[in-house]
Every structure is written in structure tokens, then in C-alpha cells.
């Protein structure tokens, strides 16, 4: 008999990141000695009749709220029918951004791997088992870490010495709008390490005008940057604006982190509004959705770059030929990564995680191949626990 889902459980929990704060908008993370940032995530467990549980830890409270609207649908269903569940939940969440699909789909893939005794990348079709990584920085600060163009250049040189083949700048994101400083940072990093590293710039939708985006993009051209990502205040969703920017720059654009779903990704590509394509298994409706984006990009002859670090991202990239780099984020010279301490084993996403070749491994255990520390999660739960059976 086919396995069935007997219970769906979500737990919201809190963890602390030392010496980190958000900027004055409360959005972007940066170094601040003595501050403690409290972040909330949630874990999901999908219990089955086989005694095998699909697990995933990640996502935020809005995504958890979406899961609460459809979790009952899953109970009694076959956990291996991922494509059917993906389609039905996609329709059910049509009025929302569908961020709630991702954690559930990843947990179902975790179950499938455990059920079949295989790593997820093996179920997808393994292409590689070591992933080249780039260092992806915190945003700028005024506290002595990434507080000047020269500080970014110094940190890029440190990352090069560690073995990173690529370095991505998240620059300033605060009230003080200084495009000259943005340009100076591009040149400082390019002059220091541009001959030895692939360089990327991600303003995180900070620039206010087309002129700003163009001026900084031309600095990227001068330094031979690998890509230029999400410059506009549009939130990274205007196909017309990015197509116009592409016409005037040599540096390839990387877009689609902030558009949700397969079809908007495909429209961005078909309308020539990006060069590289972003995908994220948590944001883009799970491993199922992210791999659909990756195969779509491959059909157009483009590369897909998976957003953020995590075991699901590693499995997706391991099964994708047309991908270049694993994002080790966020990193800085004075503080640890903000990744949650939820792994009971040796899995981690930290500045020092890479090997001498600048790569990270793909977990090879069944499913996601990681062991979650549910004792830690439950000890730090915020009281938001939902069970459907």
C-alpha cells in the first residue's frame, strides 16, 4: 500500500545572532558590536504511516500562515505525490505569494529520500558533488567592519586567501544615499582582487533612479564584474526597466529573486530582462518549483543561480548543470553567519566552511542528509505550534 501522511506539524522558534542588527529600516543585516539580533523561523515535520518523517527548518511567519491554510489537505494523502500536491497547493494559494509551498515541498522531498534510502540530489539526478562557493557579504555598517570601500576590498582579499573564487558585495542600504560611495566600493574591490576573483554586486533594490543604477552598472563594466543584481527600488520585478538597463551595460544582470512562480520567471527570460536567473527552493515553491525554473533557464541557454545557503539549495545545485556558484551568506570580517544553529550533525554554512578549492560538499545521507536538533528548536519555540491530523 502507498504511504499516507498522518500528521503535519509546524513549530515557530527564535534564535539569537550576536553582534548583528538591522539597518534603520529594520530590513538588512549589518555588524553592530554588543547588539543581539533575534530572528524567528519555523520547522515543519510531515509524519507518515511508514514511520518516516519529512523535515525542513526554514521559512518565516508569513509562510507558516499560508501553510496553516492548506495543511489539512495533506493529511491522508500520499507523500510521494509531490507533483500533484504542488499543483493543488499552487492553485489554493493563488491570491498570495505562495511562499508557503516551499517548506512543505522540501519536507516531502526529504521524506522521499528517506523512504527510498537516497539523497535528494540522487533522486533529481546528480551532476556534481562539490559546489564552488562565493562569499556574500553583510550590508555595510558604521561600526568598523564593512564601513568603507577599502574595508570591502580588505575583506575580499581575506576571502580570496581563504580560497573563495567569488565575492559578492551587499553595499549600503541606509538613509544616506551616496552613489559615489557605491561606485568607489566597486572600484576598490575590483582593483584589489578583480584579476583573481569573480565579483558580483547586489544593491538589494536600493537605488532610487535609473541614473543611479546605470552609473553603478558602468563601474561594474569597468571592473569586469560577473553579475549585477537587483539594483532598482522596483523590487526586482520590472521587466521593462531591466531590459533597458541590459541594453546599456556590458555586465550581465541577475534577476528574478523577487518574482514568485515558474511563469513570471519564464516571462522575465522570454522578454530578455535578465541574463542569469535566480531560483530558491524556499521562495520558489520548493525543490519542485526551483528545479522547474532551472530547467526552464536551461532551455533558453541561460544559467540559474540558487539564492542563499542551505541543504535544499545544495541538492538543487548538485543536480543542475547550468549553475555556477553556491551563495555563502551572509559573511563579514567581524561576525558569524546569521544561519540558525539547528543542525545536530556537522552541516554548516559559515565563512570557513569551504575547502582549499573553495567548494562545499553536498550532503550524501538520505533525504536532505542533515539531522535537525529538534531539542533546540522545541526549547526555543515561541508558542506557535500547529498540528494537523
Amino acid at each position: 500500500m502507498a504511504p499516507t501522511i498522518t500528521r503535519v506539524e509546524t513549530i515557530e522558534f527564535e534564535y539569537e545572532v550576536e553582534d548583528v542588527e538591522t539597518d534603520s529600516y529594520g530590513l538588512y543585516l549589518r555588524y553592530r558590536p554588543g547588539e543581539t539580533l533575534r530572528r524567528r523561523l519555523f520547522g515543519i515535520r510531515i509524519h507518515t504511516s511508514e514511520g518516516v518523517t519529512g523535515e525542513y527548518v526554514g521559512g518565516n511567519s508569513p509562510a507558516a500562515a499560508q501553510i496553516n491554510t492548506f495543511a489539512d489537505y495533506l493529511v491522508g494523502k500520499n507523500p510521494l505525490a509531490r507533483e500533484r500536491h504542488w499543483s493543488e497547493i499552487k492553485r489554493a494559494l493563488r491570491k498570495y505569494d505562495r511562499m508557503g509551498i516551499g517548506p512543505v515541498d522540501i519536507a516531502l522531498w526529504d521524506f522521499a529520500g528517506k523512504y527510498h534510502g537516497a539523497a535528494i540530489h540522487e533522486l533529481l539526478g546528480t551532476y556534481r558533488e562539490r559546489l564552488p562557493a562565493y562569499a556574500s557579504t553583510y550590508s555595510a555598517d558604521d561600526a568598523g567592519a564593512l564601513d568603507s570601500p577599502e574595508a570591502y576590498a580588505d575583506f575580499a582579499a581575506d576571502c580570496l586567501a581563504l580560497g573563495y573564487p567569488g565575492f559578492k558585495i551587499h553595499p549600503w542600504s541606509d538613509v544616506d544615499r551616496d552613489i559615489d560611495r557605491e561606485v568607489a566600493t566597486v572600484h576598490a574591490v575590483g582593483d584589489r582582487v578583480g584579476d583573481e576573483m569573480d565579483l558580483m554586486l547586489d544593491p538589494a533594490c536600493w537605488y532610487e533612479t535609473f541614473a543611479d543604477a546605470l552609473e553603478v552598472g558602468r563601474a561594474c563594466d569597468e571592473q569586469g564584474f560577473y553579475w549585477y543584481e537587483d539594483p532598482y527600488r522596483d523590487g526586482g520585478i520590472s521587466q521593462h526597466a531591466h531590459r533597458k538597463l541590459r541594453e546599456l551595460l556590458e555586465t550581465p544582470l541577475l534577476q528574478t529573486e523577487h518574482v514568485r512562480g515558474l511563469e513570471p520567471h519564464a516571462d522575465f527570460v522570454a522578454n530578455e530582462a535578465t541574463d542569469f536567473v535566480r531560483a530558491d527552493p524556499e521562495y520558489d515553491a520548493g525543490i519542485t518549483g526551483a528545479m522547474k525554473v532551472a530547467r526552464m533557464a536551461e532551455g533558453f541557454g541561460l544559467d540559474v543561480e540558487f539564492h542563499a545557503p542551505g541543504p535544499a539549495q545544495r541538492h538543487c545545485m548538485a543536480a543542475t548543470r547550468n549553475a555556477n556558484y553556491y551563495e555563502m551568506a551572509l559573511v563579514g570580517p567581524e561576525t558569524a553567519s546569521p544561519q540558525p544553529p539547528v543542525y545536530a550533525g556537522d552541516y554548516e554554512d559559515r565563512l570557513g566552511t569551504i575547502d582549499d578549492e573553495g567548494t562545499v560538499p553536498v550532503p550524501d545521507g538520505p533525504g536532505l542528509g542533515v539531522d535537525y536538533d529538534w531539542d533546540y528548536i522545541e526549547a526555543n519555540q515561541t508558542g506557535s505550534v500547529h498540528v494537523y491530523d
Side-chain angles (χ1 to χ4, degrees):
M1 293 183 58
T4 59
I5 296 172
T6 59
R7 184 156 55 103
V8 179
E9 178 183 13
T10 64
I11 303 175
E12 186 179 72
F13 68 98
E14 185 177 77
Y15 69 99
E16 296 181 347
V17 185
E18 300 296 332
D19 297 327
V20 172
E21 67 172 5
T22 58
D23 63 12
S24 62
Y25 298 109
L27 298 174
Y28 301 103
L29 303 188
R30 63 185 184 183
Y31 172 63
R32 176 65 63 182
E35 291 291 323
T36 299
L37 178 70
R38 290 175 173 81
R39 308 189 79 190
R40 287 187 176 181
L41 294 177
F42 71 95
I44 182 169
R45 289 186 282 201
I46 299 178
H47 302 269
T48 71
S49 59
E50 301 298 304
V52 178
T53 302
E55 303 172 315
Y56 179 65
V57 176
N60 54 25
S61 297
Q66 291 183 20
I67 291 174
N68 293 338
T69 69
F70 67 78
D72 285 334
Y73 154 81
L74 292 167
V75 177
K77 302 294 194 303
N78 182 349
L80 296 174
R82 293 181 305 278
E83 190 71 20
R84 166 60 68 182
H85 304 324
W86 189 87
S87 179
E88 295 296 341
I89 297 168
K90 176 183 175 183
R91 177 181 178 274
L93 296 180
R94 64 191 181 278
K95 296 180 181 179
Y96 308 101
D97 63 9
R98 299 188 173 111
M99 290 278 283
I101 304 177
V104 168
D105 182 80
I106 296 169
L108 290 174
W109 274 99
D110 183 56
F111 166 81
K114 293 171 179 175
Y115 181 77
H116 292 295
I120 290 173
H121 67 85
E122 294 175 347
L123 299 182
L124 293 169
T126 307
Y127 182 78
R128 65 187 123 194
E129 296 183 39
R130 302 291 309 187
L131 311 175
Y134 67 90
S136 183
T137 75
Y138 279 94
S139 292
D141 60 81
D142 57 4
L146 297 172
D147 59 355
S148 68
E150 293 72 25
Y152 274 97
D154 290 343
F155 185 50
D158 291 342
C159 291
L160 176 63
L162 287 172
Y164 279 96
F167 183 82
K168 189 172 85 172
I169 302 164
H170 285 109
W172 281 263
S173 63
D174 224 327
V175 177
D176 183 14
R177 176 175 172 267
D178 186 346
I179 294 301
D180 289 342
R181 184 174 56 187
E182 302 283 301
V183 170
T185 303
V186 168
H187 285 303
V189 175
D191 289 345
R192 184 76 65 86
V193 299
D195 291 338
E196 300 174 89
M197 304 180 84
D198 288 331
L199 300 178
M200 306 87 161
L201 177 68
D202 181 2
C205 303
W206 187 57
Y207 302 150
E208 294 185 298
T209 67
F210 183 85
D212 289 345
L214 185 61
E215 183 175 355
V216 178
R218 285 175 170 161
C220 292
D221 287 350
E222 293 172 10
Q223 293 294 340
F225 267 48
Y226 197 75
W227 74 56
Y228 182 29
E229 181 178 353
D230 279 326
Y232 287 131
R233 282 290 172 95
D234 77 306
I237 62 173
S238 172
Q239 295 176 23
H240 177 81
H242 291 99
R243 183 171 63 248
K244 294 296 292 184
L245 190 63
R246 284 186 69 237
E247 292 172 357
L248 296 171
L249 295 178
E250 297 176 3
T251 304
L253 297 188
L254 187 156
Q255 295 302 131
T256 70
E257 179 179 335
H258 305 299
V259 301
R260 302 276 76 85
L262 174 64
E263 296 84 0
H265 280 78
D267 288 346
F268 234 91
V269 172
N271 288 312
E272 300 182 341
T274 193
D275 297 291
F276 293 95
V277 181
R278 260 289 188 230
D280 183 325
E282 190 172 291
Y283 291 2
D284 292 317
I287 291 172
T288 298
M291 295 307 294
K292 288 176 186 288
V293 171
R295 303 310 185 219
M296 177 276 296
E298 184 178 21
F300 278 93
L302 300 182
D303 293 346
V304 64
E305 301 299 330
F306 293 99
H307 170 252
Q313 284 87 339
R314 293 197 195 191
H315 285 285
C316 287
M317 185 174 173
T320 302
R321 174 190 59 79
N322 55 314
N324 297 285
Y325 276 115
Y326 179 77
E327 183 172 19
M328 190 63 72
L330 297 165
V331 295
E334 299 292 342
T335 190
S337 165
Q339 302 303 316
V342 295
Y343 301 104
D346 58 1
Y347 180 89
E348 65 175 10
D349 283 302
R350 308 284 180 188
L351 182 63
T353 299
I354 60 168
D355 64 8
D356 292 341
E357 301 298 317
T359 70
V360 297
V362 183
D364 58 6
L368 286 169
V370 297
D371 295 318
Y372 289 116
D373 186 350
W374 288 101
D375 289 339
Y376 174 87
I377 293 167
E378 291 169 356
N380 290 277
Q381 70 184 47
T382 61
S384 180
V385 179
H386 297 275
V387 178
Y388 304 88
D389 52 20

